Amino acid sequence: MSKTAGQTASPRLKVVSAGLTDVGRKRNHNEDSFLIDEELQLYVVADGMGGHAGGGTASRIAVETIDKELRRARESRDNPFISTSNLQDALIPEALRTAVEKACLAIYTAAQEDSRLSGMGTTVISLVVKDDQAFFAHVGDSRAYLIRGELIQQISEDHSLVNEQIKAGMITPEEAKHSRYKNIITRSVGFEEEVQVDVMGVISEPGDVFLLCSDGLANMLEDKEIHELVLQTSRFQDVPQKLIDLANERGGDDNITVIVVQVQA
């Protein structure tokens, strides 16, 4: 949906990124979209649903609307991209939330106007990096991970039926992997007129890697395998392809989309 690789500099930190999407082995069309906007340091993965026409349309509207709304916000009087010294005072989380809400309304409206798109929606995982701060907005089961040295941590929480069952103690994480309900999400962007958006922020350190992906990757690979592959790949730009190749080797049950973003000193 945009450039697939690049780098941008902040006064203290440089950000390098790469992204790729793949149809996988079982589907005949790709309903995922992704966006890399180096100027804003904005990164988005959206996994659409709603059939051949609907899913791809929903994910495309999502990434385009989020980009457009954040560019508009940057030009406004209350520019959220002005640097702040701490996370609590940052305006980017609210700007991200608003952008995802606008995407939700845009998708819902498009579906009302065209019966072929009825019932479409999409997941969204989005990231904005600003100096040493990283902000996320999230709906659905596409994921954000932080890889820091020997650590990999899922930053987003899946809005999915199996995750609700895990939290309620009804099933184990291992059982969730094989559940017939693992593709049912409890929140999506555009299926209804409004959606609740999760936002969060973290302080980043030089060397951190943020990884955004659709469930076509997360369902095929263990977290520790993702971690190992990121650390072992000599050229950072090759990471998305290596991850996609491994997911396809495992069966490639779904469309697979990956963006990796590294913060460098």
Side-chain angles (χ1 to χ4, degrees):
M1 291 305 305
S2 184
K3 296 174 295 184
T4 56
Q7 61 185 49
T8 36
S10 82
R12 293 181 297 282
L13 298 167
K14 188 171 74 164
V15 177
V16 179
S17 63
L20 205 59
T21 187
D22 188 85
V23 70
R25 293 280 165 87
K26 302 282 174 70
R27 304 287 178 94
N28 60 9
H29 60 282
N30 194 343
E31 296 181 29
D32 288 2
S33 298
F34 77 96
L35 174 102
I36 291 176
D37 184 333
E38 290 295 355
E39 194 185 336
L40 293 182
Q41 291 182 197
L42 166 68
Y43 312 90
V44 187
V45 168
D47 178 356
M49 61 228 148
H52 195 160
T57 301
S59 67
R60 190 188 75 248
I61 291 173
V63 299
E64 289 174 354
T65 304
I66 291 166
D67 197 41
K68 182 180 74 184
E69 290 299 326
L70 286 173
R71 284 180 166 271
R72 184 181 291 163
R74 190 184 58 170
E75 300 307 316
S76 71
R77 199 183 53 183
D78 304 319
N79 177 7
F81 289 88
I82 292 167
S83 295
T84 54
S85 57
N86 60 48
L87 286 174
Q88 288 72 24
D89 297 336
L91 300 176
I92 290 174
E94 209 43 54
L96 261 176
R97 187 199 307 277
T98 301
V100 176
E101 289 171 348
K102 293 273 180 72
C104 185
L105 181 59
I107 293 164
Y108 180 82
T109 303
Q112 301 305 302
E113 292 169 355
D114 186 345
S115 60
R116 291 170 303 171
L117 303 176
S118 178
M120 70 176 173
T122 184
T123 70
V124 164
I125 182 76
S126 56
L127 162 67
V128 171
V129 179
K130 180 67 182 157
D131 299 328
D132 64 348
Q133 300 170 347
F135 301 99
F136 302 85
H138 158 59
V139 177
D141 64 351
S142 292
R143 289 183 178 177
Y145 290 96
L146 165 63
I147 296 164
R148 178 178 290 169
E150 295 306 304
L151 167 93
I152 180 167
Q153 181 181 1
Q154 184 180 331
I155 293 175
S156 56
E157 181 181 350
D158 296 352
H159 302 139
S160 65
L161 182 57
V162 293
N163 194 46
E164 296 292 332
Q165 292 176 321
I166 291 167
K167 289 198 293 183
M170 296 163 64
I171 61 172
T172 65
E174 193 54 43
E175 289 168 331
K177 286 179 200 157
H178 309 291
S179 169
R180 62 194 231 205
Y181 304 117
K182 73 177 181 183
N183 292 324
I184 298 175
I185 61 175
T186 53
R187 273 190 236 173
S188 70
V189 177
F191 184 69
E192 295 176 320
E193 200 167 350
E194 296 179 351
V195 70
Q196 182 184 344
V197 183
D198 288 359
V199 294
M200 47 250 155
V202 300
I203 298 293
S204 62
E205 298 176 1
D208 281 356
V209 175
F210 298 107
L211 185 145
L212 311 182
C213 68
S214 59
D215 68 337
L217 183 81
N219 286 341
M220 290 284 135
L221 274 61
E222 301 287 340
D223 290 4
K224 66 176 186 294
E225 293 176 310
I226 295 173
H227 183 237
E228 283 169 10
L229 209 148
V230 170
L231 294 186
Q232 289 169 5
T233 303
S234 54
R235 232 175 62 95
F236 187 73
Q237 254 61 31
D238 295 336
V239 170
Q241 186 67 64
K242 297 263 190 192
L243 288 164
I244 286 168
D245 288 348
L246 185 53
N248 275 327
E249 279 172 35
R250 298 274 167 84
D253 288 350
D254 201 349
N255 307 144
I256 313 157
T257 303
V258 186
I259 297 175
V260 285
V261 180
Q262 185 175 50
V263 178
Q264 298 179 347

